Amino acid sequence: MLFLHALVLFIIFVCLIYYYFTRNFKYWESRNIRGPRPLPFFGNIKDFVLRKSNAAVLNKQFYDKYPNEKVVGIFRMTSPTLIIRDLDVAKNVLIKDFEYFEDRGLELSKEGLGANLFHADSEIWRPLRTFFSPLFTTAKLKNMIPLIVEKSDATINHFKKITELQKDQDVYSLVQKFTMSSILTCAFGLDIAVDSEILLQRMMKIDQLSFSRTIANDCDLLYPGVLKIINASVFPKEVSKFFLDLVEDIIQARNGIPSDRKDFIDLILEAKNQGTILETKKNDDVGSTVKCVKLTNEVIAAQAFIFYTAGYETNATTMAYMMYELAMNPQIQEKLIAEVDQVVHRHNGKITYEMINELSYMEKVLNETLRKYPVIDVQRRAKANYNIPGTNIVIAKGTIIIVPTLGISQDEKYYPNPTKFDPERFSPENDSKRHPCAFIPFGVGPRYCIGMMFARIQSRVFLMKLLSNFRVETSKNTQSTIVFNPGRVVTAPKDGIYLNLIPRKSQYDTKNK
Ligand code: HEM
Ligand SMILES: *[C@@H]1O[C@H](CO)[C@@H](O)[C@H](O)[C@H]1NC(C)=O
Ligand SMILES: *[C@@H]1O[C@H](CO)[C@@H](O)[C@H](O)[C@H]1NC(C)=O
Ligand SMILES: *[C@@H]1O[C@H](CO)[C@@H](O)[C@H](O)[C@H]1NC(C)=O
Ligand SMILES: *[C@@H]1O[C@H](CO)[C@@H](O)[C@H](O)[C@H]1NC(C)=O
C-alpha cells in the first residue's frame, strides 16, 4: 500500500517536472515561427549546457539550418530566444528601433560589479555610456599610444627571450598572458612588469572565475530572472574585492588627482573631482525611469572590471587567430611584412596615430580575422512588444534576441567561400557593397563596443611590432582546423595555437645600423 502511494506520488512528481521543463515549448509554433524541436530541460542547447559546444557555434547551426527564414525561434533551456537571420531585421533591432532593445538582458544584481557598462540594463547603462563615451574618442586614445607601444615592446622582448630556447610556442596562451598586464597598464596605470608571476597567477584566477561558464548562468536560462529576484551576484566576491582594492589603491597612489599618464583612471578622476553625477533621460515610449548613478569607487571598480574582461580575452583571441592565419597564408604575411617595413621606414620608426592609419593592408587583415573569428554574438532583450516592420511577427516584451555574428560572417551569401582567409574582401569596392549588418564584430548601433577604437589601435601597434621582429610559421604542432572552446564565453581556441616564432630583421633596422 505504502509502496503504491509512493509510486503514484513519484509519477505525479515526474509529470510535474516534465510539465515544468516543457511548459512553453509551443511558444514559437503558436506564433508561426520556425525553429528546431526542443528537448525537455535542455531546449535546443543541450550541447551548450553539457559544455560540448560554444554558444556561437550552436547559434551558427540554427542560422544555417533555416536559410529561408528571417528569424528562427529556439529555446535556450526553457527560455524562448529569437535568432535574427535577416540583415534588415537586424538593422531595425540594433540601430533604427534601438530604444526597444537597449538592454542586453544580462543584468543580474545591480550591486557590486553588476553595475557595469556591459551587463547593466538601460537605466544604469545609459548614464554610464554617456559618461564613458568621451573617454574613448580618437583624441583621447592618441595620448595612450606611447603606453601601448611600451607594453608591446615589453611583450616582444619577452618573445625574443623565450624563442631563443624554443621556437614552437602556444601563441594563444602567450598573448593571453601579455594582454592581462597590458590592459591593466593602459587602462589603470598599474606599473607592473608584463611577466610578473604573482600578478599573472592572480589574473589567471580572476580569469577562471569570471570567464568560465557557471551554473548560475544556466539557472537563469531555466528560470529567467531568478538570479535578479534572489539578488544573487554571478561575480564572485574575490573578483569584486580585487577590482575595488585595485581602484582604491590607484586613486590613493595619485592622491585622488589625475596624474600625467593619461590613462582611463586619470580621465575618471577628473570627472570624479568635478562631482559628476550621471543621470538617465526619461523615455515614456518604453517606460524607463530616471536614475542617477554616482561615480563612487564601487562604480569605477565595476567599469575597471569590464574594461579588463572585455578587453583582455578579445585582444588575446584576435591576435592569436591573426598570427595563425598569417602562418597558414605565407603570401599574405609577406605582403603585410612589406607594408610594415615601408611604413616604419617612412616614419623613422616613430609610432603615431597617423602612422598607424597608413597600415591599410593590415586593416584589411585585421577585419578579415574578425570576420572569420568574431569573438561573441550580439545579444539584446525586448523592452516592450515590438512588431518587426514589414512582417506580422511580434517580438514579445522580455524576449532575448541574438544576432549571430559568427553565422552571418560565414554565410556564403555575403562571403563566398567563407572559410578562405582573403583580406581583399575588405577592399573599398567590396566594402561599399556590403550591408551595414553583414560585418559587425564589434556590434553595431548605440550599444556597440565602446573599446573598438582602442582595440583597433592596439592590435595594429602590436602586430607592427611583432612583424618587425618575427615571422610566424606553422610547426609540427599547428592544428589544421580551429575548434572553439565550449567552456568559454567567447570563441577562444580549445587547444591553444602552436606556431614557430622565427626572428627576422626588419629592412628598416638593417638600413639604419
Ligand atoms: C578585438 C577586440 C574587441 C572585440 C572584437 C570586441 C567586441 C565587442 C562586442 C561584439 C560587443 C557587444 C556589442 C553589441 O552588443 O552591439 C562589445 C561590447 C563592449 N566592449 Fe568590446 N570588443 C573588443 C575590445 C574591447 C576593449 C579593448 C574594451 C575596453 C576597453 C571593450 C569594452 C567593451 C564594453 C564596455 C562593451 C559594452 C558596451 C555597452 O554595452 O555599452 N571591448 N565588444
Ligand atoms: C594585446 O595583446 C598583445 C599581445 O599579447 C599585447 O602586447 C598588447 O599589449 C595587448 N593590448 C592590450 C591593450 O592589452
Ligand atoms: C543585494 O545583495 C547585496 C550584497 O550582496 C546587498 O548589499 C544589497 O542590499 C542587496 N539588495 C537587495 C535589493 O536586496
Ligand atoms: C572582393 O572580394 C572577393 C572575395 O570575396 C575577392 O576575390 C575580390 O578580389 C574582391 N574584389 C576586389 C575589387 O578587391
Ligand atoms: C574594418 O572594420 C571596421 C569596423 O569594424 C570599419 O570601420 C572599417 O572601415 C573596416 N576597414 C576596411 C578596410 O574594410
Side-chain angles (χ1 to χ4, degrees), residues 171-389:
V171 296
Y172 173 62
S173 57
L174 261 188
V175 295
Q176 226 186 356
K177 276 190 192 167
F178 283 101
T179 307
M180 283 189 192
S181 57
S182 302
I183 195 116
L184 290 176
T185 308
C186 295
F188 309 105
L190 259 195
D191 236 337
I192 32 163
V194 284
D195 45 4
S196 148
E197 275 304 319
I198 298 167
L199 183 87
L200 272 179
Q201 274 166 19
R202 275 185 90 180
M203 296 319 281
M204 279 292 180
K205 184 107 189 266
I206 300 287
D207 168 79
Q208 252 171 23
L209 292 170
S210 41
F211 277 104
S212 296
R213 295 176 36 215
T214 58
I215 302 281
N217 298 103
D218 297 337
C219 292
D220 216 54
L221 289 178
L222 269 181
Y223 189 77
V226 68
L227 293 179
K228 201 167 176 172
I229 292 164
I230 63 170
N231 188 23
S233 174
V234 283
F235 308 110
K237 269 238 143 44
E238 197 178 337
V239 181
S240 27
K241 187 165 177 323
F242 175 84
F243 282 97
L244 190 58
D245 289 351
L246 182 71
V247 164
E248 282 173 350
D249 287 352
I250 296 170
I251 292 179
Q252 205 175 25
R254 294 182 192 186
N255 297 319
I257 48 173
S259 69
D260 57 358
R261 289 190 66 107
K262 302 191 167 64
D263 53 22
F264 290 127
I265 289 282
D266 274 345
L267 302 169
I268 293 169
L269 279 181
E270 238 166 74
K272 192 172 188 239
N273 290 345
Q274 287 160 13
T276 306
I277 290 180
L278 324 169
E279 215 176 307
T280 319
K281 283 199 306 267
K282 206 176 168 87
N283 183 343
D284 287 328
D285 283 359
V286 288
S288 55
T289 47
V290 179
K291 176 92 191 175
C292 295
V293 180
K294 230 178 131 198
L295 212 51
T296 58
N297 286 354
E298 282 78 13
V299 169
I300 297 174
Q303 314 321 311
F305 164 72
I306 206 63
F307 293 157
Y308 168 72
T309 45
Y312 137 72
E313 178 111 314
T314 50
N315 178 30
T317 54
T318 308
M319 294 303 99
Y321 289 135
M322 181 138 62
M323 285 155 82
Y324 174 75
E325 289 294 344
L326 291 177
M328 298 295 266
N329 299 279
Q331 71 298 351
I332 294 177
Q333 178 168 205
E334 289 317 311
K335 191 169 170 187
L336 187 53
I337 284 179
E339 178 182 81
V340 168
D341 283 356
Q342 258 173 29
V343 171
V344 170
H345 182 68
R346 194 153 57 230
H347 291 264
N348 285 315
K350 191 167 160 21
I351 300 178
T352 60
Y353 180 69
E354 289 66 30
M355 176 222 205
I356 295 164
N357 273 338
E358 286 177 24
L359 296 161
S360 56
Y361 188 62
M362 187 185 285
E363 164 141 353
K364 291 184 195 167
V365 172
L366 177 61
N367 281 10
E368 178 65 350
T369 305
L370 287 164
R371 177 196 70 81
K372 230 184 132 176
Y373 309 94
V375 294
I376 197 162
D377 285 343
V378 172
Q379 178 173 323
R380 299 286 185 269
R381 183 178 59 202
K383 290 184 87 172
N385 290 345
Y386 175 78
N387 181 198
I388 298 179

Side-chain angles (χ1 to χ4, degrees), residues 104 117-118 125 129 310-311 314 380 441-444 447 449-450:
R104 213 167 251 132
L117 260 170
F118 190 87
W125 170 73
R129 181 85 191 201
T314 50
R380 299 286 185 269
F442 293 96
V444 69
R447 219 170 167 168
C449 173
I450 201 171

Side-chain angles (χ1 to χ4, degrees), residues 27-28 80-82 101 380-382 395-401:
Y27 187 89
W28 292 121
T81 301
L82 195 66
F101 300 99
R380 299 286 185 269
R381 183 178 59 202
I395 302 177
K397 178 178 173 178
T399 309
I400 296 281
I401 288 126

Side-chain angles (χ1 to χ4, degrees), residues 87-88 91 95 431 433-440 443-444:
L87 296 186
D88 289 329
K91 192 176 162 193
I95 307 173
D431 266 348
K433 281 183 252 156
R434 198 172 4 253
H435 190 287
C437 290
F439 181 64
I440 51 166
V444 69

Side-chain angles (χ1 to χ4, degrees), residues 368-435:
E368 178 65 350
T369 305
L370 287 164
R371 177 196 70 81
K372 230 184 132 176
Y373 309 94
V375 294
I376 197 162
D377 285 343
V378 172
Q379 178 173 323
R380 299 286 185 269
R381 183 178 59 202
K383 290 184 87 172
N385 290 345
Y386 175 78
N387 181 198
I388 298 179
T391 71
N392 52 14
I393 302 169
V394 174
I395 302 177
K397 178 178 173 178
T399 309
I400 296 281
I401 288 126
I402 290 176
V403 182
T405 319
L406 183 69
I408 293 170
S409 68
Q410 306 216 345
D411 186 339
E412 289 274 351
K413 204 158 75 188
Y414 312 118
Y415 301 97
N417 197 0
T419 52
K420 184 174 174 215
F421 189 82
D422 180 5
E424 291 316 318
R425 297 180 202 273
F426 292 93
S427 67
E429 292 85 345
N430 281 340
D431 266 348
S432 62
K433 281 183 252 156
R434 198 172 4 253
H435 190 287

